Amino acid sequence: MPSSPYLRNPRGERGFTLLELLVVMVIIGLLAAYVGPRYFSQIGKSEIKVAKAQMDAFDKALEQYRLDVGRFPNTEQGLAALYVKPNNETKWAGPYLKKAPPPDPWGAPYQYKSPGEVNEFDLISFGKDGRRGGDGEDADISFN
């Protein structure tokens, strides 16, 4: 039977050397170091876009609430008034949202104040750090 290059004696098989494996691991590490920060910065940008989209949906629901009731929900009623009928609201024709208002993309509740300091109502997410102010992903996101 002729010998085949694919059928070798286990003792004669060659594998990768330690040096070859280390070179491959260094290359993979360099690629991860280059691509990783770019990937994670995109995640932060997408969370900001999600927050703005949710706030836009809340704005539309709040406007519909105002058209039906004649005013925006007050601060105590909050965004929950878009999903659950507040006491003594005879003109309420909701729910104005299909489900309860979700938290912002970082898990914190949106801050709603009516009357607002800037507009008829203020709607704010405090960003990734959950505190007022900040830069980048930690910056406040407000709907104006």
Side-chain angles (χ1 to χ4, degrees), residues 60-73:
K60 288 176 175 52
L62 287 162
E63 285 295 333
Q64 187 62 46
Y65 180 99
R66 184 184 61 81
L67 289 172
D68 290 345
V69 176
R71 61 174 179 76
F72 289 108

Side-chain angles (χ1 to χ4, degrees), residues 15-33:
F16 294 107
T17 65
L18 181 59
L19 181 61
E20 290 170 328
L21 290 174
L22 288 174
V23 168
V24 169
M25 289 175 58
V26 166
I27 291 171
I28 290 172
L30 289 171
L31 286 173

Side-chain angles (χ1 to χ4, degrees), residues 33-67:
Y34 179 73
V35 173
R38 293 175 187 264
Y39 172 73
F40 288 113
S41 72
Q42 294 301 319
I43 290 175
K45 289 178 186 175
S46 67
E47 288 172 331
I48 292 169
K49 287 180 183 178
V50 167
K52 288 180 179 180
Q54 286 178 333
M55 293 171 101
D56 184 55
F58 294 152
D59 176 60
K60 288 176 175 52
L62 287 162
E63 285 295 333
Q64 187 62 46
Y65 180 99
R66 184 184 61 81
L67 289 172

Side-chain angles (χ1 to χ4, degrees), residues 55 58-59 62 72-75 78-79 110-125 132 141-144:
M55 293 171 101
F58 294 152
D59 176 60
L62 287 162
F72 289 108
N74 61 35
T75 303
L79 295 175
Y110 286 96
Q111 305 299 310
Y112 173 79
K113 184 177 179 184
S114 178
E117 296 172 10
V118 178
N119 296 311
E120 292 180 83
F121 67 88
D122 291 340
L123 186 56
I124 301 170
S125 167
R132 269 195 193 274
I141 302 165
S142 61
F143 188 83
N144 293 326

Side-chain angles (χ1 to χ4, degrees), residues 125-134 138-140:
S125 167
F126 290 142
K128 187 175 182 178
D129 66 353
R131 295 181 294 205
R132 269 195 193 274
D138 294 336
D140 297 349

